[in-house]
Amino acid sequence: MITATLNHIKDFHHWTRLEDNKYDIGMFANVVPNPETDGYIGACRSGYADLNDTIDVLKYDKDLQLLSRQHATKGEDPRTFMFNGRPYSLTWDPHHTSGGLVLSYKLIDLLDAKTVTLDIENFGTEPGDLPVLGKNWMPLVAPDQQYDELYIAVTIDPVISVLRCNVQTGHCSWVTPLDRVQGGIQVSISRGGTPLIYSEANDIYVGLGHRTYDTYNHKPFLYTLTKHFTESTIGEDIITGKEFVEDPQSIFIENGKIYCCIGNNIRYESGAVGLYEVEISHG
């Protein structure tokens, strides 16, 4: 059995909610190494925690001191990852239409803040998409990928469902047989968090999800996915010593080690992002 140990490195991006309910520097920040500097790049959610929130591109120095914020697009709770040597964020944008609430999914190229809206096979922008496809998607980079071909695990528990998306056009087709997703996709309390990265040592994809017990109680856990997307494992809660909401959001490899960002939100009034080293082992 594969297990994960989290070793806390430091907290950064300390944020608070102002008197008018706006977040001062944005929440749900998460990063990966910036390929153009010796620092980091990522994204956060800015606004009032409502349907009008936006995504900002963040740049940090090597000590994770914030250097800049740049507006990118409308959206919520970005997940940042590396693809073909470039940093991206995946976000979802809930919004009202004349027919009701719908959800768009977007990829942001963080180096130029370019946004592509995903066009998902068999699903448009009609009312009902939101409960069917949910959120907390998990991008993954396959070892044998095509250049522009990004895989995304939409769900991992209790069922596995996977998309294949072109990062240039936004067109996505189902790897999972279509008849398994047409009627809706089940989601358990063990939900997505970080993207999935491939562990050569274990020949498996690994990442950290969040287990949602209630609005103010989320706990991280390890999830794994086999190379051909056929089997997954869902780990126990990982106890970090922090309380309230702990949402894993990005994961990356730097100097041969795995690191992740976990947002710690204290009743959504204040919080910070924890940087952790992730040690994967066989129990």
Side-chain angles (χ1 to χ4, degrees):
M1 180 172 127
I2 297 178
T3 59
T5 301
L6 297 181
N7 300 315
H8 183 257
I9 305 298
K10 68 184 299 182
D11 289 340
F12 69 101
H13 199 92
H14 297 262
W15 56 267
T16 190
R17 203 166 192 176
L18 303 174
E19 289 185 2
D20 65 355
N21 286 328
K22 187 174 185 178
Y23 294 104
D24 57 348
I25 58 171
M27 62 175 180
F28 290 106
N30 55 109
V31 302
V32 294
N34 188 336
E36 296 185 339
T37 71
D38 62 353
Y40 297 86
I41 190 169
C44 72
R45 174 180 178 174
S46 294
Y48 298 86
D50 60 22
L51 296 183
N52 297 308
D53 282 0
T54 61
I55 303 300
D56 289 345
V57 177
L58 308 174
K59 292 183 180 179
Y60 301 82
D61 66 16
K62 63 181 181 180
D63 297 316
L64 287 167
Q65 297 298 311
L66 184 62
L67 299 175
S68 66
R69 293 171 61 200
Q70 176 188 358
H71 170 77
T73 187
K74 240 181 118 281
E76 298 182 359
D77 307 351
R79 302 297 200 271
T80 303
F81 61 98
M82 296 295 296
F83 180 72
N84 289 335
R86 294 182 70 86
Y88 288 82
S89 277
L90 173 67
T91 188
W92 28 86
D93 174 16
H95 51 280
H96 286 289
T97 69
S98 59
L101 185 68
V102 298
L103 192 62
S104 298
Y105 301 90
K106 303 175 182 179
L107 279 176
I108 309 166
D109 184 327
L110 297 179
L111 292 181
D112 58 15
K114 176 185 176 183
T115 300
V116 173
T117 300
L118 300 183
D119 172 21
I120 302 161
E121 178 187 16
N122 206 55
F123 290 88
T125 57
E126 297 301 319
D129 287 357
L130 179 61
V132 173
L133 295 181
K135 56 179 186 177
N136 299 310
W137 292 11
M138 298 149 275
L140 61 93
V141 179
D144 55 352
Q145 60 155 353
Q146 300 294 318
Y147 179 73
D148 288 328
E149 188 176 81
L150 172 70
Y151 288 89
I152 301 175
V154 174
T155 57
I156 200 168
D157 183 72
V159 296
I160 301 167
S161 55
V162 179
L163 285 168
R164 182 191 298 110
C165 299
N166 185 294
V167 299
Q168 300 299 324
T169 66
H171 177 71
C172 300
S173 59
W174 289 98
V175 176
T176 303
L178 200 55
D179 60 2
R180 295 185 189 174
V181 299
Q182 284 176 318
I185 299 175
Q186 292 179 290
V187 178
S188 75
I189 68 168
S190 300
R191 303 182 181 176
T194 73
L196 288 149
I197 59 174
Y198 182 68
S199 169
E200 292 186 2
N202 298 290
D203 193 30
I204 203 167
Y205 294 101
V206 298
L208 296 173
H210 73 275
R211 189 164 282 123
T212 303
Y213 292 103
D214 60 48
T215 302
Y216 301 120
N217 184 10
H218 298 182
K219 290 291 179 282
F221 67 91
L222 175 73
Y223 47 53
T224 72
L225 183 62
T226 52
K227 189 173 180 179
H228 298 292
F229 317 142
T230 55
E231 297 179 32
S232 63
T233 64
I234 304 297
E236 301 296 326
D237 289 358
I238 300 173
I239 305 303
T240 67
K242 295 184 178 181
E243 297 181 313
F244 302 108
V245 170
E246 295 180 87
D247 284 351
Q249 295 158 313
S250 68
I251 192 168
F252 57 90
I253 298 174
E254 188 173 33
N255 299 323
K257 296 181 178 181
I258 300 174
Y259 296 91
C260 74
C261 290
I262 299 180
N264 181 212
N265 300 304
I266 303 172
R267 296 189 177 274
Y268 295 92
E269 296 302 320
S270 63
V273 181
L275 177 67
Y276 295 82
E277 182 183 348
V278 184
E279 293 185 0
I280 305 295
S281 60
H282 287 272

